[in-house]
Amino acid sequence: MSDDEAAVPGNKPIRLPKKAAKVKNKAPAQLQITAEQLLREAKERELELIPPAPKTKITDPDELKEYQRKKRKEFEDGIRKNRMQLANWIKYGKWEESIGEIQRARSVFERALDVDHRSISIWLQYAEMEMRCKQINHARNVFDRAITIMPRAMQFWLKYSYMEEVIENIPGARQIFERWIEWEPPEQAWQTYINFELRYKEIDRARSVYQRFLHVHGINVQNWIKYAKFEERNGYIGNARAAYEKAMEYFGEEDINETVLVAFALFEERQKEHERARGIFKYGLDNLPSNRTEEIFKHYTQHEKKFGERVGIEDVIISKRKTQYEKMVEENGYNYDAWFDYLRLLENEETDREEVEDVYERAIANIPPHSEKRYWRRYIYLWINYALYEELVAKDFDRARQVYKACIDIIPHKTFTFAKVWIMFAHFEIRQLDLNAARKIMGVAIGKCPKDKLFRAYIDLELQLREFDRCRKLYEKFLESSPESSQTWIKFAELETLLGDTDRSRAVFTIAVQQPALDMPELLWKAYIDFEIACEEHEKARDLYETLLQRTNHIKVWISMAEFEQTIGNFEGARKAFERANQSLENAEKEERLMLLEAWKECETKSGDQEALKRVETMMPRRVKKRRQIQTEDGVDAGWEEYFDYIFPQDQAAKGSFKLLEAAARWKREREEAAARAAQELDAPIPEGDDDEEKEEAGKDAEEKVREGDSDTDLSESSSSSDSESSSSSSSDSSDSSDDDEDK
């Protein structure tokens, strides 16, 4: 097709439609749309709008009849299409009513009832049509037929009774209500009847309806309360109280409801019968489970605060706390803190012994499920408190003994034990003047589980009884069980010293210091030395110090030795001890050396020897402020920090002599290198044609070069070393002077 054919002059070119692409994916879509859905959406969106029918004016009776005929034909056609569409029947009946054809309307509703006689809406529309047309008897007939067919439909009864009440036919309305309640309808029907009687001030009739109502729906607590309030509102207090009492009888003690009790008590409170209200509250607390008494406690507390005395208020609070504790221990029996609080409350309020013992038995029945001591620490105090209660409060010593024995039997002694229980059991037997039983208990305790606390308690017991031989035997058993305990050795030696047997005490100390492993050897040695000093055995004390210094080089030992020499007046010996310590601690920490010098200076000050004091002062270090780089745990630089360092004169002198030796060694090494280079030059080959004189001159020149090189190196090294030393000394002097100024 050419351009002339495709384009018309004066017009745009014609664009031909493109060929539709073929559908490649012919699988059904996930969301399917039905024809019904399309029609429904079209109806909702009003896509097909039908124009309204034109208005017609009827001016002739024949035209009216023709219009009515067409309208009836439309309704009949609609009914014929779908007889079960009740809306069409109702519209048809109302239309006939609107044009005044009551008989035709009745006929339509009757035909509709033939289709579905259980349709509530048709019956109601039928009855309302009769009422609108003031056909009361016809309406009564419709309602009678409706309630006969469907007596459980509440709407018919309500409409029927309302119609009779509107036309002021009160007996007729009452008769309808009587017919209604014969069917035992729901609570709303009864309440409607009661309200009807109350509107016409028929109190007795309303009371009669209430009583019949409670026979049918008495299971609901609120109905009893409504009846009682009805009697109270109308001034019949006796009837109201009787209603509450009948409600209590109706539910019985097993199924008693807390709501009734609270309402009954509040009723008595309003009638100023506070004792009766208090009795009702207590009855509920005694007979209801703890999980249902919260509301009773709440109102009981408010009642006592308003009308009760202090004792009554406290009783209420205690009862409430008991209930709370009961709830806590029921939720978690292993909550021992709750048991402790509960038992403390009972004991403080002097509750009956049977109740307290019952709570104790319930508490100790909750044995910890794990055999680890940390789970038993709180639990074991339940047994201890139980035994103390039986002994001190109940005065039942046999039962207290049984509690102690049961507690000991329940503890897994192979895994762990509680020394406190054994000791308290033994002390209990002593209070009962049974010493043999107490000794037997302690013997069994150290036999089953030899703990340090048990041994010490048994030894203290025998000491109080002045049984020293038994104490010695117990100490021997104790040391066999734990020979590493320094405190035990010390106590044993102190016992022998107390008894005046110094030889036995010294022997105990001697054996103790020979033990291969001790938990606190420093205390043992100190006690041994103090013992010898107290016995004025100074030579033996000095020997002990020497023996101890062979094992350790601790500064406290040196200072203690020097102080010992000082206390006995041997200042020369103290000075020698300090000198030995100073030599021994040359490589120790600077703080320890400073402590030693300060102690030495204090000693010389007391001795009064000025020359020795000056000598010590010359040995005192100088404090210098320095900086050092700090790092974190990850090795990252964290900046610089300042710290104080101590420079001792001895270290500085040793450092100066060390520098001199380094310089001498460096000078010797350089001389050897220069001599080696000169020897290489002498061994070099001489060209032919030279005579011996030239060789001699070359040798002389080499020797002169060696000498010149030696002198040059010596001078330069000495000058450089002297310059470096002078600069270092000047810098150190300047830093020292600045530090001294800062110290000042």
Side-chain angles (χ1 to χ4, degrees):
M1 184 168 165
S2 63
D3 296 340
D4 297 335
E5 295 175 352
V8 179
N11 295 328
K12 293 182 179 179
I14 300 172
R15 301 183 64 182
L16 299 177
K18 294 182 179 180
K19 187 177 181 180
K22 292 184 178 180
V23 178
K24 296 181 179 179
N25 187 5
K26 296 183 179 181
Q30 295 182 356
L31 182 62
Q32 296 293 321
I33 302 176
T34 61
E36 182 184 358
Q37 185 176 356
L38 292 173
L39 293 175
R40 186 169 60 251
E41 289 180 357
K43 179 66 175 175
E44 290 175 355
R45 297 178 184 178
E46 297 181 354
L47 298 178
E48 298 178 1
L49 296 177
I50 300 173
K55 293 183 179 181
T56 57
K57 292 183 179 180
I58 299 172
T59 59
D60 191 273
D62 294 335
E63 290 182 2
L64 177 61
K65 289 181 181 180
E66 182 64 20
Y67 169 75
Q68 291 175 352
R69 186 186 65 78
K70 289 181 180 179
K71 198 71 174 174
R72 286 192 185 99
K73 187 175 183 301
E74 291 177 1
F75 281 120
E76 291 292 341
D77 291 342
I79 291 170
R80 194 179 303 111
K81 289 179 182 178
N82 189 1
R83 289 172 57 85
M84 304 306 296
Q85 186 69 26
L86 300 179
N88 294 335
W89 293 101
I90 294 172
K91 289 179 182 178
Y92 192 8
K94 286 185 176 181
W95 181 80
E96 294 289 356
E97 179 193 357
S98 65
I99 63 175
E101 295 288 343
I102 306 302
Q103 291 296 333
R104 285 181 175 274
R106 288 190 186 119
S107 176
V108 171
F109 279 116
E110 290 293 340
R111 289 168 60 195
L113 290 174
D114 291 338
V115 174
D116 187 5
H117 67 281
R118 303 193 67 83
S119 175
I120 296 176
S121 60
I122 292 177
W123 285 106
L124 290 176
Q125 293 292 338
Y126 191 4
E128 287 175 359
M129 183 205 69
E130 297 290 356
M131 286 189 289
R132 282 195 297 270
C133 297
K134 299 181 180 180
Q135 300 293 324
I136 304 302
N137 289 328
H138 283 280
R140 286 194 183 106
N141 291 333
V142 172
F143 277 125
D144 286 335
R145 290 166 60 195
I147 61 178
T148 303
I149 295 173
M150 290 178 288
R152 296 294 179 186
M154 189 179 296
Q155 296 93 322
F156 299 148
W157 298 102
L158 292 173
K159 288 279 187 179
Y160 195 4
S161 60
Y162 178 69
M163 183 190 73
E164 297 292 349
E165 190 175 357
V166 167
I167 63 177
E168 297 181 355
N169 185 13
I170 307 304
R174 185 175 292 113
Q175 186 179 3
I176 294 168
F177 277 117
E178 289 292 334
R179 290 172 60 190
W180 189 8
I181 62 176
E182 287 179 359
W183 291 93
E184 296 182 357
E187 296 178 4
Q188 183 182 353
W190 295 91
Q191 198 62 45
T192 306
Y193 190 10
I194 292 168
N195 293 335
F196 166 77
E197 297 292 354
L198 291 177
R199 281 198 295 271
Y200 297 100
K201 311 298 181 183
E202 296 289 344
I203 306 299
D204 295 335
R205 290 179 179 274
R207 182 180 298 110
S208 176
V209 175
Y210 256 124
Q211 292 173 356
R212 293 160 62 192
F213 171 42
L214 292 175
H215 279 292
V216 178
H217 296 285
I219 195 67
N220 190 352
V221 177
Q222 296 298 329
N223 296 334
W224 292 94
I225 298 174
K226 287 179 182 178
Y227 177 39
K229 288 184 177 179
F230 159 75
E231 297 288 359
E232 183 183 0
R233 209 167 33 245
N234 291 283
Y236 297 96
I237 305 302
N239 291 345
R241 185 174 289 113
Y244 282 118
E245 291 174 354
K246 287 181 180 179
M248 301 281 289
E249 294 175 1
Y250 181 85
F251 290 102
E253 293 185 359
E254 296 179 357
D255 298 330
I256 190 170
N257 193 286
E258 61 272 16
T259 309
V260 178
L261 288 171
V262 171
F264 194 6
L266 294 178
F267 164 75
E268 297 293 352
E269 181 180 320
R270 289 193 294 271
Q271 307 307 320
K272 311 298 181 183
E273 296 287 345
H274 303 304
E275 291 299 326
R276 292 176 64 90
R278 191 175 292 112
I280 294 168
F281 281 127
K282 291 182 178 179
Y283 175 80
L285 294 176
D286 295 338
N287 291 275
L288 285 175
S290 58
N291 57 350
R292 295 172 55 190
T293 56
E294 293 183 2
E295 286 296 322
I296 297 177
F297 269 123
K298 176 182 175 182
H299 291 89
Y300 189 18
T301 306
Q302 293 176 357
H303 175 268
E304 291 297 332
K305 287 181 179 178
K306 289 189 289 186
F307 307 105
E309 298 179 354
R310 180 178 179 181
V311 177
I313 297 173
E314 290 179 353
D315 291 340
V316 174
I317 295 172
I318 291 167
S319 301
K320 187 174 182 180
R321 289 177 61 189
K322 283 183 182 178
T323 307
Q324 292 175 352
Y325 288 136
E326 285 288 346
K327 184 177 180 181
M328 292 172 65
V329 298
E330 283 179 5
E331 291 176 355
N332 183 12
Y334 299 107
N335 186 1
Y336 300 123
D337 292 331
W339 286 110
F340 285 128
D341 296 338
Y342 191 10
L343 291 164
R344 192 179 301 113
L345 174 67
L346 296 178
E347 292 180 13
N348 292 339
E349 298 302 324
E350 298 180 357
T351 314
D352 294 338
R353 177 185 170 187
E354 291 78 8
E355 185 178 354
V356 177
E357 289 179 351
D358 178 64
V359 176
Y360 267 119
E361 292 292 339
R362 288 166 54 199
I364 62 179
N366 298 288
I367 302 173
H370 303 287
S371 297
E372 296 183 20
K373 192 170 184 178
R374 60 193 180 97
Y375 295 108
W376 287 66
R377 293 187 186 277
R378 298 290 292 164
Y379 169 72
I380 207 67
Y381 276 95
L382 289 172
W383 288 94
I384 293 173
N385 293 346
Y386 190 10
L388 292 175
Y389 172 79
E390 294 293 346
E391 180 187 359
L392 302 177
V393 180
K395 306 295 182 182
D396 191 346
F397 305 115
D398 293 334
R399 189 174 179 84
R401 187 178 290 107
Q402 293 175 3
V403 172
Y404 277 120
K405 289 180 180 179
C407 178
I408 288 172
D409 291 339
I410 205 173
I411 297 173
H413 298 289
K414 292 183 179 179
T415 307
F416 59 85
T417 189
F418 288 95
K420 188 179 186 67
V421 178
W422 293 100
I423 296 169
M424 291 186 69
F425 192 11
H427 290 174
F428 165 75
E429 294 294 351
I430 291 173
R431 288 193 294 272
Q432 306 308 315
L433 305 178
D434 194 349
L435 182 58
N436 293 328
R439 283 175 174 161
K440 185 177 180 181
I441 291 167
M442 295 304 295
V444 172
I446 62 177
K448 282 187 175 181
C449 37
K451 290 184 67 175
D452 295 353
K453 189 174 181 180
L454 290 172
F455 275 108
R456 292 193 184 98
Y458 197 2
I459 291 169
D460 291 340
L461 175 63
E462 297 295 347
L463 277 176
Q464 292 175 6
L465 298 173
R466 300 297 185 265
E467 294 287 346
F468 300 114
D469 293 334
R470 287 181 177 272
C471 292
R472 287 193 178 103
K473 292 179 181 179
L474 288 172
Y475 269 121
E476 292 173 1
K477 294 289 184 182
F478 192 3
L479 292 172
E480 288 177 4
S481 175
S482 56
E484 72 281 354
S485 177
S486 300
Q487 289 288 354
T488 308
W489 289 103
I490 295 170
K491 292 290 184 182
F492 192 10
E494 288 178 355
L495 173 64
E496 298 296 346
T497 305
L498 184 64
L499 298 176
D501 197 344
T502 56
D503 294 335
R504 288 179 64 91
S505 180
R506 187 175 289 110
V508 170
F509 274 122
T510 304
I511 297 172
V513 297
Q514 293 174 359
Q515 296 299 317
L518 292 170
D519 54 357
M520 291 183 289
E522 64 277 3
L523 294 180
L524 182 62
W525 280 96
K526 186 176 183 305
Y528 194 3
I529 294 170
D530 292 342
F531 164 75
E532 295 294 354
I533 294 173
C535 295
E536 297 182 357
E537 296 288 345
H538 299 156
E539 290 297 329
K540 292 183 178 180
R542 195 174 288 112
D543 294 339
L544 286 174
Y545 272 118
E546 294 294 339
T547 306
L548 182 57
L549 288 172
Q550 292 176 4
R551 299 190 179 189
T552 180
N553 194 31
H554 201 277
I555 182 174
K556 290 186 178 180
V557 180
W558 288 106
I559 294 175
S560 177
M561 182 178 178
E563 289 177 351
F564 158 69
E565 297 291 352
Q566 184 180 353
T567 52
I568 64 176
N570 187 8
F571 288 99
E572 188 63 30
R575 190 176 295 113
K576 290 180 180 180
F578 278 121
E579 290 176 354
R580 289 174 57 194
N582 192 24
Q583 294 175 1
S584 178
L585 297 173
E586 281 186 356
N587 298 324
E589 296 290 336
K590 293 183 178 181
E591 288 77 6
E592 294 183 358
R593 296 172 64 185
L594 179 62
M595 288 172 58
L596 179 68
L597 292 174
E598 288 177 351
W600 192 358
K601 182 178 179 181
E602 185 179 356
C603 175
E604 295 297 349
T605 304
K606 292 180 181 179
S607 66
D609 192 345
Q610 296 298 326
E611 293 181 0
L613 181 60
K614 290 181 180 179
R615 181 188 169 199
V616 174
E617 288 177 351
T618 56
M619 297 169 65
M620 294 295 289
R622 291 182 297 103
R623 193 173 71 161
V624 180
K625 184 186 290 186
K626 294 185 178 180
R627 296 178 65 198
R628 61 186 172 193
Q629 192 173 11
I630 57 176
Q631 293 181 346
T632 61
E633 295 179 355
D634 300 334
V636 181
D637 294 341
W640 295 80
E641 66 172 356
E642 293 184 351
Y643 70 99
F644 289 99
D645 194 9
Y646 297 96
I647 299 176
F648 291 85
Q650 298 175 0
D651 297 345
Q652 197 169 8
K655 188 174 182 182
S657 61
F658 181 70
K659 286 183 179 179
L660 182 61
L661 292 174
E662 281 185 348
R666 186 168 60 252
W667 174 79
K668 183 179 179 181
R669 186 171 59 255
E670 291 175 355
R671 276 194 59 130
E672 291 176 354
E673 291 176 356
R677 288 197 300 271
Q680 289 178 0
E681 292 179 359
L682 289 175
D683 293 338
I686 299 174
E688 294 181 356
D690 294 337
D691 53 2
D692 295 337
E693 292 179 358
E694 291 179 356
K695 291 181 179 179
E696 290 177 359
E697 289 178 0
K700 290 178 182 179
D701 293 338
E703 288 179 1
E704 289 177 359
K705 287 180 180 179
V706 169
R707 292 194 190 96
E708 290 174 1
D710 291 342
S711 62
D712 293 340
T713 55
D714 294 340
L715 289 172
S716 62
E717 288 296 327
S718 61
S719 63
S720 62
S721 63
S722 62
D723 293 338
S724 62
E725 288 176 1
S726 62
S727 62
S728 62
S729 62
S730 62
S731 62
S732 63
D733 293 338
S734 62
S735 63
D736 294 343
S737 62
S738 63
D739 293 335
D740 294 338
D741 294 337
E742 289 179 0
D743 295 338
K744 289 178 182 179

